[in-house]
Amino acid sequence: MKNDTVNWGIMAAGKIAAVFADGLKYTAHGRPLAIGSRSLDKAQTFAEKHDIPRYYGSYEKLVQDEDIDVIYIASPHHLHKTNMLLALEYGKAVLCEKPFTLDTNEAAQVAEAAQKANIFVMEGMWTRFLPIMKRIKKIIDTNIIGNIHIVEADLGFKANFDPSHRLFDPAMGGGALLDLGIYLVSLTHWLLGKPLQINSIAKFGKTGVDEHTSIMFGYEQDHLANLYTSLRTETPCEAVILGEKGRIRIFGPVYRPSAFTLSIIGEGDEYHRGEMVGNGFNYEAEEVMQCLKEDKTESTNMPLQDTLEIMDIMDSIRQTWHHD
């Protein structure tokens, strides 16, 4: 890092990579220096569109660029483990788009490699870093709504069925749980930790991926969580956190909330609108850059232990399923 500028390399040139590149414009010190794609033409087109000075026709050439400080991995789910290990091999810090990997075993391999090399790695659960979510967490941590009893959350949209698309391709980590449900699982883990009981029902589509999924968590204390996610129907995309003294309703989309209400029993509703600079991805980028500045190998807000536990929960959910 020179003159406090953090040079980012972006791995893969799809939609989420474009969103992240735009988000970097709203950071104080982040600069997209290079884009890497498996297609040189695609990399060049992306670089020209997003004003990125360097472009490469392979992921290997991207990570070999000595001026890059950190890699944002925006490739499909099934490539995350391989891509992270490649970046770590060349000494690059990593921010990997969610889900971190396909399962706990893959996540553990990456975590072990990062810890052995003493290199920063973080899962890109961007929702956790939004100002509105930090306000909600502070309200909960200061016991304003009391002990949480129930968390309810949903996330679903109607995707056009395409068996070759990553959402519907089991080989590419398709399905509602990995793509959408992880937001709900991560939110619930952030609030309540790891559940003791996990029950889930999934309905599978023509390609064998879960298209609708319902999940229930039980905890050692008197906590419950009810979650559902879908690729085939639009849902309210909201969350409600029910405490002994009151509740918080998070207005959708739950991964990027627009507002929330705080309702204390007997006192009515208090409306809070979210204020956000940029597209939201800038906040997780700022977290990574602050960690690098402080020579941290993990974020305290999204530590690898959280990622490993969340992936383990996702594995446990899938183990409860019975295919028709």
Side-chain angles (χ1 to χ4, degrees), residues 98 152-158 167 174-185 200-204 209-216 226-238 254-255 314 317-318 321:
K98 61 81 198 164
E152 295 183 340
D154 69 89
L155 182 57
F157 70 96
K158 184 172 176 56
L167 286 175
L177 178 66
L178 265 181
D179 202 74
L180 301 176
I182 188 170
Y183 283 113
L184 311 180
V185 174
S200 180
I201 297 173
K203 294 299 181 180
F204 302 94
V209 303
D210 62 298
E211 294 186 350
H212 309 285
T213 301
S214 177
I215 305 159
M216 179 177 284
N226 293 305
L227 317 172
Y228 63 93
T229 184
S230 176
L231 290 177
R232 302 308 302 274
T233 190
E234 189 172 314
T235 74
C237 302
E238 296 183 348
V254 70
Y255 55 83
M314 304 275 278
I317 290 169
R318 287 179 286 194
W321 294 346

Side-chain angles (χ1 to χ4, degrees), residues 34-297:
I35 175 70
S37 172
R38 290 178 292 183
S39 161
L40 184 61
D41 287 344
K42 194 172 182 180
Q44 182 177 1
T45 300
F46 190 99
E48 291 171 352
K49 183 176 181 179
H50 297 280
D51 195 24
I52 297 175
R54 304 178 189 178
Y55 57 89
Y56 300 104
S58 74
Y59 297 158
E60 289 78 9
K61 288 185 178 179
L62 176 73
V63 298
Q64 288 168 8
D65 187 326
E66 294 181 356
D67 294 327
I68 292 174
D69 300 306
V70 54
I71 300 283
Y72 171 68
I73 292 174
S75 53
H77 308 339
H78 68 297
L79 299 177
H80 285 182
K81 184 196 81 167
T82 301
N83 293 162
M84 281 192 278
L85 292 177
L86 176 65
L88 291 170
E89 181 184 343
Y90 284 88
K92 304 301 185 188
V94 172
L95 171 64
C96 183
E97 181 57 34
K98 61 81 198 164
F100 194 66
T101 53
L102 292 182
D103 56 39
T104 310
N105 179 53
E106 288 190 353
Q109 290 179 52
V110 175
E112 183 180 358
Q115 289 162 352
K116 191 174 291 184
N118 202 36
I119 298 173
F120 179 90
V121 173
M122 188 182 91
E123 179 180 13
M125 182 51 66
W126 67 299
T127 305
R128 190 172 290 202
F129 301 98
L130 299 177
I132 191 170
M133 294 306 294
K134 290 186 174 183
R135 284 163 61 193
I136 290 169
K137 191 66 161 57
K138 186 175 181 181
I139 289 170
I140 292 166
D141 289 346
T142 51
N143 204 39
I144 291 173
I145 65 168
N147 185 45
I148 296 173
H149 290 313
I150 298 171
V151 174
E152 295 183 340
D154 69 89
L155 182 57
F157 70 96
K158 184 172 176 56
N160 294 322
F161 179 72
D162 177 357
S164 65
H165 192 278
R166 65 171 186 83
L167 286 175
F168 296 98
D169 186 345
M172 296 180 73
L177 178 66
L178 265 181
D179 202 74
L180 301 176
I182 188 170
Y183 283 113
L184 311 180
V185 174
S186 185
L187 171 64
T188 309
H189 181 274
W190 196 39
L191 297 173
L192 299 176
K194 197 170 182 180
L196 285 180
Q197 298 169 283
I198 297 174
N199 294 302
S200 180
I201 297 173
K203 294 299 181 180
F204 302 94
K206 295 176 183 178
T207 60
V209 303
D210 62 298
E211 294 186 350
H212 309 285
T213 301
S214 177
I215 305 159
M216 179 177 284
F217 294 149
Y219 297 81
E220 191 172 289
Q221 299 84 2
D222 59 345
H223 310 317
L224 288 175
N226 293 305
L227 317 172
Y228 63 93
T229 184
S230 176
L231 290 177
R232 302 308 302 274
T233 190
E234 189 172 314
T235 74
C237 302
E238 296 183 348
V240 182
I241 303 163
L242 304 167
E244 59 185 342
K245 300 178 186 177
R247 67 184 183 274
I248 295 170
R249 180 184 177 190
I250 303 173
F251 294 95
V254 70
Y255 55 83
R256 191 188 65 227
S258 56
F260 69 93
T261 53
L262 170 63
S263 307
I264 305 302
I265 295 173
E267 296 183 16
D269 296 346
E270 189 179 287
Y271 183 81
H272 297 259
R273 179 169 291 281
E275 295 180 4
M276 188 169 69
V277 175
N279 63 14
F281 276 66
N282 41 300
Y283 294 105
E284 66 173 2
E286 291 283 13
E287 172 74 9
V288 172
M289 293 187 288
Q290 185 61 35
C291 288
L292 294 179
K293 184 179 179 181
E294 297 174 8
D295 293 321
K296 292 181 177 180
T297 57

